[in-house]
Amino acid sequence: MSLNIDPLLDEKFILTISQIFPEFLEKNLSVHAVREAFGPSKNEGLCYENCTSVEFQGEAKGKLFLAMDGYTKLKLLPKIAKSFHIDPTIRSHAASIMLEFANQICAELISEMKLGRFQIDILPPENLNNKLVPVDLENHRQYILIYFLKDEDAKEYLGRIYLVLLMQKY
C-alpha cells in the first residue's frame, strides 16, 4: 500500500457522500434528502437512538456513521423494508433492516471511490443504537452532514439523518 496520501481525500469523500446519499434515497425510497448542514466537527463522541457504523480500510481508513432519532427511524423503516421486500411489522427484523440499509449506502460510496482509483474495502456494519461512541480526535478528522428528509408524494416530513464521517489522520 502506498502512502502517497491525496491531500484532498476528505473532500472527495464528502463530495461523493453528498452526491450518493440523496440519489440513493431518491432511487430506493422515493425520499427527497436536502443537505441542511455540513462541516468539520470536534465532538468527542456521539450517541443516537439509531446508529449504524460501517468501517472502511485501504488507501483511506475511517468510519461512516448513519444516525437518526426514533421518529425518523419510525418514518423510514417501512419505506426501507418495502425496498428490501421485507414485512416491516416483524419487529425482530428492524435492526437488520437498518444495518443492511447503511451497508448498501456505504457500498455505493466505496464503489464510487474505487472508480476514482482508490483501493478501499468496507467491513460489516455495526449496530451502535443508544451506545456512546467515543471519537479519538487525535487520530481522526470528523465531519458531519445533516440531511432533512421529505416524502414529496405524501407531503410528509420524515425527520433528519446525520452522517458522521471519521477519517484517520496519517
Side-chain angles (χ1 to χ4, degrees):
M1 178 173 71
S2 151
L3 282 181
N4 295 333
I5 301 303
D6 183 340
L8 301 176
L9 183 62
D10 292 10
E11 287 183 47
K12 289 177 182 177
F13 262 85
I14 299 295
L15 289 172
T16 304
I17 290 169
S18 296
Q19 173 193 341
I20 296 287
F21 185 68
E23 287 175 2
F24 184 88
L25 290 182
E26 189 71 43
K27 182 176 120 188
N28 294 293
L29 307 179
S30 298
V31 169
H32 187 67
V34 177
R35 193 172 77 185
E36 276 186 23
F38 153 74
S41 178
K42 297 280 187 195
N43 293 333
E44 294 179 359
L46 53 97
C47 183
Y48 291 94
E49 191 169 342
N50 188 278
C51 184
T52 303
S53 166
V54 180
E55 187 172 350
F56 51 90
Q57 296 181 344
E59 288 184 71
K61 293 181 182 178
K63 287 185 179 184
L64 181 66
F65 298 88
L66 176 75
M68 64 190 85
D69 60 23
Y71 174 85
T72 305
K73 178 185 170 188
L74 182 68
K75 293 292 191 176
L76 276 184
L77 190 59
K79 295 177 180 305
I80 296 168
K82 182 180 174 187
S83 77
F84 292 155
H85 307 289
I86 297 171
D87 180 359
T89 60
I90 300 172
R91 189 167 171 84
S92 63
H93 288 170
S96 61
I97 290 170
M98 297 309 287
L99 284 170
E100 182 55 28
F101 178 65
N103 195 46
Q104 286 190 9
I105 291 168
C106 284
E108 292 246 351
L109 169 64
I110 296 307
S111 291
E112 283 294 316
M113 295 306 288
K114 284 182 176 182
L115 287 174
R117 305 209 192 293
F118 289 97
Q119 296 303 312
I120 302 171
D121 292 307
I122 60 173
L123 300 176
E126 184 179 358
N127 180 337
L128 298 170
N129 296 349
N130 297 306
K131 292 188 174 124
L132 181 59
V133 179
V135 174
D136 178 3
L137 294 173
E138 283 188 32
N139 294 310
H140 292 91
R141 292 176 302 279
Q142 181 183 165
Y143 305 92
I144 188 165
L145 295 95
I146 303 171
Y147 286 89
F148 176 83
L149 306 178
K150 187 173 183 185
D151 181 332
E152 295 288 341
D153 296 333
K155 306 272 188 255
E156 182 180 24
Y157 165 71
L158 303 174
R160 286 182 174 85
I161 285 190
Y162 304 84
L163 296 174
V164 179
L165 177 66
L166 295 183
M167 297 293 290
Q168 185 174 332
K169 294 178 182 177
Y170 290 96

XYZ file of all heavy atoms in Angstrom, residues 9 28 35 38 40 47 50 56 62 75 87 98 103 105 116 125 156:
135
model
N -8.355 14.100 -0.078
C -9.111 12.865 0.131
C -10.404 13.102 0.918
O -11.462 12.616 0.530
C -8.242 11.822 0.841
C -8.890 10.464 1.060
C -9.234 9.812 -0.272
C -7.958 9.564 1.853
N -34.144 4.548 -4.198
C -34.596 3.361 -3.474
C -35.828 3.568 -2.599
O -36.551 2.615 -2.341
C -33.460 2.796 -2.625
C -32.340 2.260 -3.486
O -32.513 1.279 -4.190
N -31.206 2.940 -3.468
N -29.460 18.550 1.969
C -28.404 18.765 2.962
C -28.654 20.089 3.668
O -28.693 21.138 3.051
C -27.033 18.737 2.298
C -25.916 18.647 3.329
C -24.586 18.416 2.701
N -24.115 19.665 2.140
C -23.015 19.800 1.425
N -22.282 18.749 1.152
N -22.646 20.957 0.960
N -23.301 21.049 6.943
C -22.091 20.264 6.745
C -20.954 21.004 7.410
O -20.897 22.227 7.388
C -21.772 20.093 5.257
C -20.305 19.886 5.001
C -19.713 18.688 5.305
C -19.511 20.913 4.531
C -18.357 18.492 5.117
C -18.159 20.736 4.334
C -17.581 19.519 4.625
N -16.774 20.392 9.544
C -15.931 19.616 10.445
C -16.518 19.688 11.850
O -17.226 20.629 12.181
C -14.572 20.310 10.364
C -14.804 21.606 9.679
C -16.135 21.572 9.023
N -23.839 9.734 20.172
C -24.827 8.786 20.675
C -26.160 9.146 20.045
O -26.636 10.264 20.177
C -24.927 8.853 22.198
S -26.075 7.636 22.891
N -30.739 5.630 16.935
C -30.479 4.636 15.905
C -29.189 5.012 15.207
O -29.090 6.097 14.628
C -31.635 4.572 14.905
C -31.469 3.426 13.949
O -30.750 3.533 12.963
N -32.089 2.308 14.251
N -14.302 1.441 6.873
C -13.638 1.176 5.600
C -12.136 1.207 5.804
O -11.622 1.901 6.683
C -14.091 2.150 4.495
C -14.014 3.607 4.860
C -12.871 4.342 4.609
C -15.094 4.233 5.450
C -12.802 5.688 4.938
C -15.031 5.576 5.784
C -13.887 6.303 5.522
N -11.297 4.754 7.857
C -12.230 5.554 8.638
C -13.529 4.818 8.877
O -13.618 3.607 8.698
N -40.465 6.581 10.680
C -40.989 7.012 9.384
C -40.290 6.309 8.215
O -40.916 6.012 7.203
C -40.826 8.533 9.225
C -41.681 9.336 10.166
C -43.132 9.165 9.815
C -44.019 10.131 10.518
N -45.410 10.018 10.098
N -41.396 -7.659 5.346
C -42.542 -7.198 6.130
C -42.020 -6.351 7.296
O -41.390 -6.883 8.214
C -43.329 -8.405 6.654
C -44.542 -8.013 7.476
O -44.792 -6.800 7.671
O -45.253 -8.930 7.921
N -32.032 -1.940 9.172
C -31.253 -0.701 9.269
C -29.768 -0.949 9.002
O -29.096 -0.130 8.374
C -31.447 -0.034 10.639
C -32.891 0.395 10.901
S -33.657 1.377 9.588
C -32.816 2.926 9.786
N -25.281 -0.429 5.153
C -24.288 -1.176 4.393
C -24.392 -0.864 2.897
O -23.379 -0.683 2.219
C -24.466 -2.671 4.656
C -23.286 -3.487 4.201
O -22.138 -3.139 4.470
N -23.557 -4.575 3.509
N -25.641 1.862 1.478
C -25.194 3.240 1.229
C -23.669 3.296 1.196
O -23.070 3.900 0.305
C -25.760 4.200 2.296
C -27.276 4.340 2.113
C -25.082 5.571 2.214
C -27.976 5.020 3.253
N -12.736 6.108 -8.647
C -11.727 7.172 -8.598
C -10.331 6.627 -8.330
O -9.425 7.360 -7.975
N -21.335 -3.912 8.747
C -21.889 -2.823 9.561
C -22.022 -3.239 11.022
O -22.131 -4.427 11.336
C -23.256 -2.571 8.934
C -23.616 -3.842 8.251
C -22.322 -4.467 7.826
N -44.937 14.713 3.350
C -44.701 14.377 4.747
C -43.233 14.573 5.116
O -42.337 14.129 4.403
C -45.097 12.908 4.965
C -44.945 12.426 6.367
C -45.350 10.956 6.519
O -45.317 10.199 5.530
O -45.674 10.575 7.650
